[in-house]
Amino acid sequence: MLEDLKDKVVLITGSSGGIGEIIAKRFSSLGSKVVITGRNSENVAKVAEECAALSPLKYEPLTVICDLNSERDIERLVHETICHFKRLDVLVNCVAYYEPLSILDDRFLENFDAHMKLNVRAVVQLCRLAIPHLSECKGPIDTPKFETFEDSESLREHYSSKTPVQRMGNRDDIANAVTYLASNASGFITGCLIPIDGGISLLG
Ligand SMILES: NC(=O)c1ccc[n+]([C@@H]2O[C@H](COP(=O)([O-])OP(=O)(O)OC[C@H]3O[C@@H](n4cnc5c(N)ncnc54)[C@H](OP(=O)(O)O)[C@@H]3O)[C@@H](O)[C@H]2O)c1
C-alpha cells in the first residue's frame, strides 16, 4: 500500500530528533528521499546516517541545519531541497515550541509570541514556499454517478479548477485512506476527521 512512497522527496522538519526522526526513518525505509533538518548539526548528521542505512535504495538524505524561527533559514531549507532533489512531494511539519504558562505569568506574552512564531508563522511560511512544488494531492470524487448528470463534463471542469490541487479525486483516493485507517499503520489514530477533498474545504 505504501509502495508509491518510493522515490518521493520528503521534507520533515524536526527530523533530527523526537517524532520527526522516526517519521524520517519510516520514509527512508519505504524508499523515499528525505531531508533531515534541525538546529544541532551532530544530531542532523547522526539521523541522516541512520536513514541512509535504512534506505533500501541506499539514498543519502539531504541535511540542512536551520532554525525555523528565522525566515531566511526557512527559505534556504526549501531552496536547498529543490536545488538538490529538483522537486518536493511531501512536507511534514513536525516542529513545535511548547511551554505551558499561566496567563498571569510575567512571561506570558513573550511565550505566546514564541509559540505563534514557530508553531504558526513558520508552518505557514513553509507551506507557502512548498505548495508550488507539491504537485500531486486529492480532489472531489469522480464516480460513475457523475456520468448520470446532464452537465457532467462542465461539472468536472468546474470542480477541477476550483480545487486547490487542480483535479477531481477518484474512488481510489477514498479507498486508500479507508484501508490506511483500517490497518495497523494508523494504530494510534482514532476519532478524527480526515477531509479527502483536495483542499476544497480550506477555501471556506
Ligand atoms: N512528544 C509528545 O508527547 C507530543 C504530543 C503531541 C504532539 N507533539 C508534537 O509532535 C511534534 C514533535 O514533537 P517531539 O516531542 O518529537 O519534539 P522534540 O523531541 O522536541 O523534537 C523536536 C525536533 O524539532 C527540532 N527543532 C526544535 N526547535 C527547532 C527550531 N526552532 N528550528 C528547527 N528545528 C527545531 C529539534 O532539533 P534541534 O533541537 O536540534 O533544533 C528536533 O529535531 C511537535 O509538533 C509536537 O508539538 C508531541
Side-chain angles (χ1 to χ4, degrees), residues 87-108:
R87 56 188 281 178
L88 175 61
D89 299 291
V90 180
L91 169 66
V92 182
N93 283 297
C94 200
V95 166
Y97 176 70
Y98 181 60
E99 188 193 353
L101 275 189
S102 157
I103 198 167
L104 299 178
D105 193 289
D106 287 345
R107 288 179 45 246
F108 179 80

Side-chain angles (χ1 to χ4, degrees), residues 69-86:
N69 280 308
S70 153
E71 272 192 35
R72 283 232 177 126
D73 276 15
I74 293 175
E75 281 169 18
R76 187 170 48 80
L77 175 60
V78 176
H79 180 72
E80 287 189 22
T81 300
I82 298 304
C83 287
H84 186 79
F85 288 122
K86 312 287 179 238

Side-chain angles (χ1 to χ4, degrees), residues 8 169 185:
K8 289 274 162 77

Side-chain angles (χ1 to χ4, degrees), residues 23-192:
I23 293 173
K25 287 180 173 170
R26 180 67 59 88
F27 274 108
S28 293
S29 63
L30 291 166
S32 305
K33 300 169 180 179
V34 298
V35 183
I36 306 299
T37 184
R39 293 164 300 181
N40 180 304
S41 57
E42 275 178 29
N43 293 343
V44 168
K46 180 173 175 288
V47 174
E49 198 181 315
E50 290 165 1
C51 284
L54 286 168
S55 170
L57 301 154
K58 299 292 160 233
Y59 287 144
E60 292 285 338
L62 170 68
T63 58
V64 183
I65 312 305
C66 87
D67 183 347
L68 296 176
N69 280 308
S70 153
E71 272 192 35
R72 283 232 177 126
D73 276 15
I74 293 175
E75 281 169 18
R76 187 170 48 80
L77 175 60
V78 176
H79 180 72
E80 287 189 22
T81 300
I82 298 304
C83 287
H84 186 79
F85 288 122
K86 312 287 179 238
R87 56 188 281 178
L88 175 61
D89 299 291
V90 180
L91 169 66
V92 182
N93 283 297
C94 200
V95 166
Y97 176 70
Y98 181 60
E99 188 193 353
L101 275 189
S102 157
I103 198 167
L104 299 178
D105 193 289
D106 287 345
R107 288 179 45 246
F108 179 80
L109 284 178
E110 184 192 320
N111 181 263
F112 176 85
D113 288 343
H115 280 83
M116 287 296 152
K117 191 169 184 189
L118 192 62
N119 303 0
V120 181
R121 200 172 198 283
V123 171
V124 170
Q125 196 198 356
L126 265 166
C127 290
R128 274 170 54 79
L129 295 171
I131 282 170
H133 302 285
L134 303 172
S135 51
E136 288 225 330
C137 277
K138 309 173 183 84
I141 314 306
D142 200 348
T143 65
K145 192 172 182 185
F146 234 84
E147 301 298 338
T148 66
F149 300 146
E150 225 172 78
D151 50 353
S152 62
E153 240 352 276
S154 58
L155 274 175
R156 205 171 263 126
E157 273 171 34
H158 170 77
Y159 281 127
S160 297
S161 68
K162 289 283 176 213
T163 308
V165 298
Q166 298 287 300
R167 75 165 174 89
M168 291 192 68
N170 55 51
R171 289 171 291 170
D172 281 333
D173 288 320
I174 306 295
N176 288 342
V178 171
T179 46
Y180 165 69
L181 287 171
S183 75
N184 288 342
S186 68
F188 208 57
I189 297 175
T190 189
C192 65

